[in-house]
Amino acid sequence: MSTDDTPWEPPLAGTEVGHLLGALDRLRATFRWKADGLDTAALNATIAASALTIGGLLKHLAAVEDFSMTRKLRGEDMGEPWASFGYDGSNDWEFMSAAQDSPEELYALYDGAVERTRSRMRDALANGGLDQPAHAASDEGEHASLRRLIFDLVEEYGRHTGHADLIREAIDGRVGEDPPPGWRPVSGQFAFAHD
């Protein structure tokens, strides 16, 4: 199997940066595969007692991507497209408001946030590496590092990819740890890090 068939695979032996970003991109690809190709009804489907939806997860993870690399990393406001959406920063806003968004809007929002984050990470890594202090700090004034922010994204994706896995299985039976070899999204403009 070539890496062209599985561009989400992290390196088998690489640098710390390569492994961190590779693990994050593998989770992004797996999450995006779980979310791919759904219509409005499926994006708003819930299971059991949970109010989580794949549409809400798409919007939430888009917000987490942008928030991590603007507010947490640089201390900047998230800006567009969030200002136009009326983003209020509350914990439930993206989960609740996603039901009013079309599939095209949700996929574009998520795919765009991933691309913005990749660009911001490349810039940050070129200008200080993993150990550089981020804007985010504890109450005692200890600043997080870029490494910590990336680990936090990996953790966030691990949690929510599991949620998406359960919801997607209930929608149409799609299961699996990773996308199948050769998978490419049918919705949105998601690009792999190595495309």
Side-chain angles (χ1 to χ4, degrees), residues 32-154:
R32 192 57 174 76
W33 173 58
K34 297 294 180 175
D36 194 37
L38 297 174
D39 62 14
T40 300
L43 285 169
N44 288 304
T46 61
I47 59 171
S50 175
L52 278 178
T53 66
I54 290 181
L57 289 169
L58 277 163
K59 196 166 190 177
H60 171 68
L61 287 170
V64 169
E65 292 265 6
D66 278 330
F67 187 79
S68 294
M69 292 298 117
T70 56
R71 190 80 188 132
K72 284 184 166 183
L73 179 62
R74 300 189 262 183
E76 300 171 358
D77 288 334
M78 287 173 49
E80 293 300 337
W82 301 101
S84 294
F85 286 142
Y87 176 74
D88 68 7
S90 69
N91 289 333
D92 292 329
W93 178 84
E94 52 274 20
F95 291 111
M96 301 308 291
S97 66
Q100 284 81 50
D101 300 323
S102 71
E104 295 78 18
E105 290 168 322
L106 290 169
Y107 290 122
L109 180 63
Y110 175 81
D111 295 345
V114 168
E115 284 308 307
R116 288 187 296 276
T117 294
R118 285 181 180 144
S119 176
R120 291 168 180 149
M121 279 186 188
R122 277 191 301 273
D123 292 347
L125 288 165
N127 294 308
L130 291 172
D131 292 323
Q132 68 183 281
H135 173 76
S138 69
D139 291 341
E140 294 78 32
E142 181 183 9
H143 287 266
S145 65
L146 176 59
R147 178 185 288 103
R148 170 61 189 264
L149 299 184
I150 296 171
F151 269 109
D152 286 352
L153 280 172
V154 169

Side-chain angles (χ1 to χ4, degrees), residues 153-192:
L153 280 172
V154 169
E155 179 184 6
E156 189 83 9
Y157 269 96
R159 177 182 310 115
H160 292 314
T161 300
H163 294 139
D165 190 40
L166 293 171
I167 298 167
R168 185 62 187 246
E169 183 177 6
I171 292 169
D172 63 5
R174 179 177 284 184
V175 295
E177 183 178 329
D178 293 319
W183 172 78
R184 297 297 184 265
V186 297
S187 54
Q189 299 295 315
F190 183 79
F192 300 104

